[in-house]
Amino acid sequence: MTIRLGGIIAGLAITAVLVLWSLLPGAYNYAFGPAPEQQPSYAFYEHGEGPAGGFSFDGAFGKWDYAQLQRGYQVYKEVCAACHSLKFVSFRNLRQLGYTEAEVAAEAATWTIPGIDPTTGDQTTNPGKPTDAFPPVYYSGQGNPPDLSLITKARHDGSNYVYALLTGYGEPDPAKAAKVGFEVPDGLYFNKHFPNVNIAMPQPLSDGQVTYADGTESSVAQMSKDVAAFLTWTAEPSLVERRQTGWFVLGFLLFATTLAFLSYKQIWAGLKPKKK
Amino acid sequence: MATDTAATTEVSAAEEGVRRRDWIHIAALGTAGVGGASVLFPLISQMAPSQDVLAASTTEVDVGAIQPGQSIKATFRKQPLFVKRLTAEEIAKAKADDGAAMRDPAKLADRTKAGHEDVLVTMGVCTHLGCVPLGAAEGESKGEFGGYFCPCHGSHYDVAGRIRKGPAPLNLKVPEYTFTSDTVIRVG
Amino acid sequence: MSFAWAKQYEPQTALTKWLDEKLPLPRLVYNAVGAGYPVPRNLNYMWNFGVLAGFFLVVQIVTGVVLAMHYAANQTVAFATVEHIMRDVNYGWMLRYAHANGASFFFIVIYLHIFRGFYYSSYKAPREMIWLLGVVIFLLMMATAFMGYVLPWGQMSFWGAQVITGLFSAIPLVGESLQVWLLGGFSPGNAALNRFFSLHFLLPFVIAGVVILHIWALHIPGSSNPTGVEVKQESDTVPFHPYYTAKDGFGLGVVLILFTAMVFFLPNALGHPDNYIEANPLSTPAHIVPEWYFWPFYAILRAFTGDLSIPFTGIVLIPAKLLGVIAMFGSILLWFILPWLDKSPVRSGHYRPMFRKFFWFGLIPCMIALFVCGGAPAEEPYVVISQIATAYYFLHFLVILPIISQIEVPKPLPFSITDAVLGQDKAAEAPRTGSVDGGDTGTAPEGSLQPAE
């Protein structure tokens, strides 16, 4: 009885504190207080969509498009790598993109990796070996370009986000901007798919910037799609293998659970209630 | 599984029914067993060398700068690797011993590459219990046979890295390697 | 410790006879989860989740031990070793995703287990000790899960550690130094990461120990059941094996299908993208949320937005931060006195019309609202909704339950489990004693609370 009485008193007390000191002032403020200030830039944000037709790896049966991954790697190497590192990926991983061992070794050798000269102890650079990771990038400008190894997992709906971001550059509608008093701050660039629409990265891609070895036309949309696919692979190299294993495991479990169900029903058969 | 609990069931099953029931239980248990066993596979496999360790398992060594009579220590798979350039006397001595009584008989020619008989590449791991033998660096004891000497338990290797005295069962291992040029070898 | 008609273990072979004399482990298993444990025959699928929780504890320990073989608790490399596991270790991605989603599934089955307990009043005498141990397990799980989430050393890990240890700084006088002591520094760093790893490794084994006590305490009165009527006779029970081993086997299969679907197809759906960004002490993510299983309690924490002050004087009695912390811990700690708050003699919600309405139309919507608000940003209307739901949460347990247990008129209870299952019970045709039919008076028979000796 004491516990119940104490409980009732404590319950009423905590409710009273909550309602009188938090809920009512908050609700009053919500109803009659000034509306929360909206930053003008939010008026321009548009949720970005992925490429038309999606990616080859979308869905539970999706597969890598290796030609696309190779093109995406080329875009990364020729454009993104100037500012963005890829530190959790090694050159040997490129074997997965369909390159042969010799091609990987040759590709690795086109990169320079910081190292230590074993005879003098000085800092030096060596041509990359397949076992090396992609080198760090020292960016001297403003801002802090993120490492791209995991970028598609570090953003919500990352593959589509990368594509939308790369194709989202442009100018704000001048009439609307004048109306809400919006200006792109100095040193930032307008991108309608970036959460606060002012991004530090200038538009990286322009039509024809990369000459694809397989002759694919290098429009901004195409390059964005290819590099988004490549970065999906760098973030989750086991994606396709994982789903394939998953189908096998699910099939096995369905079979096993069916058997378990039959076994369970069989065991209980004699006990089933005979309701009248 | 079902039959031993017949006490509480009211079913008086025919012989055939019993056998069909048993089959289901055996199949269910067997499938569960297969499932449980296959879970062990990733759990065991994760302890095997990971992809980065396997990928790092080749080492390139420049042997051009090694003077006759000198050795260098390199690493291969995080283990010491001895590369020794033999002098003419050492080659002659090793060849003379090719027919001697040894625990693990081997010829010098089988332990070096044709055309590079003066370059002896061995693991620096004593075949007894895995210590690093002395003799690769200047001033270290080379043992009674002028090659390598393991101080842990007193194994003596000759100039060709063959076990001659002491507890080690085998000669110093010669890893797989190739000459990628006249002066560079790739091990592994 | 068991019913008189429980089957006795009889070793058959010379080896098992010898073992039974020296170390009667097979006998223990036989009596605990074998044919020697008589269980009510009418358990529904809600009674599967205890075994499933045990299964996920094993999953977490096994995957966790192997992940620890590759992980390094050092702030310079922790994030990279997790990526090493994901990319280079054989099946590392599978093990890590199983561990991450295993934690979520552990909480899913535990929440279903707890809410089964709420609905069927499994906390009531004679099962108070089982309930108390269960609450201890839940608290240990929350601590373990929180520390485990810090280990990958992503942004959410870091800021989660900062925010959760910051809760302790709300305590008057000692709070600030307590937080510094917990972290071993002024912000999460190597010291915090290392101790969290150590404790994250240790606590699951402590949980396993309390689970053993929980099961031990369960075997004293035996399992409860959906009618809430105690076991009276042999026909009320079936042996745990094979009846409930088979049922649990099927339940396990169903849950494993859901679990593997998450692991192999949506492994990051329950996580937060920000945790794939390495910890950065100089930049807080825009929207910090804990893992989903903490959302209801996080909503209670944030519901208190105003200081408790004396009006028009500006004198603050209890700051809002401390109120939130008290309420959040209180919301779980009050479960410890639940057996003594709800004194209704009828256990099952089936036979309690008022309780049932408050459960389905009060507690469940309240929990859903708290869950949604906990995951949402601290903006209106979520704040007001979470305040209403928090108020209801405390009213439900502390005020409504004690009162309805006094005034409610329960529906008539079946005479026995056999009666409930088969619609008839030979024993019931014998003259009934007044205390047996608890339906009319609202009092359950005293005798029915005790197991047969």
Side-chain angles (χ1 to χ4, degrees), chain B residues 24-50:
Chain B
I24 288 170
H25 305 320
I26 291 165
L29 277 179
T31 314
V34 169
S38 34
V39 168
L40 289 179
F41 183 72
L43 291 177
I44 292 168
S45 171
Q46 56 87 20
M47 279 174 77
S50 57

Side-chain angles (χ1 to χ4, degrees), chain C residues 181-205:
Chain C
W181 176 77
L182 282 170
L183 287 173
F186 301 101
S187 72
N190 253 342
L193 183 57
N194 252 311
R195 66 189 58 178
F196 285 1
F197 181 49
S198 173
L199 292 173
H200 182 71
F201 205 113
L202 168 72
L203 285 184
F205 297 96

Side-chain angles (χ1 to χ4, degrees), chain B residues 43, chain C residues 56-68 71 85-86 91-107 144-145 147-149 151-152 197 200-201 204 259 263 267 270 291 293:
Chain B
L43 291 177
Chain C
F56 277 106
L57 177 62
V58 172
V59 168
Q60 291 306 86
I61 289 179
V62 169
T63 54
V65 165
V66 299
L67 286 171
Y71 171 78
I85 290 169
M86 292 298 289
Y91 298 100
W93 54 268
M94 194 190 288
L95 296 165
R96 173 164 176 263
Y97 281 151
H99 195 68
N101 288 286
S104 284
F105 272 75
F106 199 177
F107 273 97
T144 311
M147 287 189 276
Y149 194 57
L151 301 184
F197 181 49
H200 182 71
F201 205 113
F259 176 58
V263 168
L270 297 172
E291 287 283 80
Y293 36 78

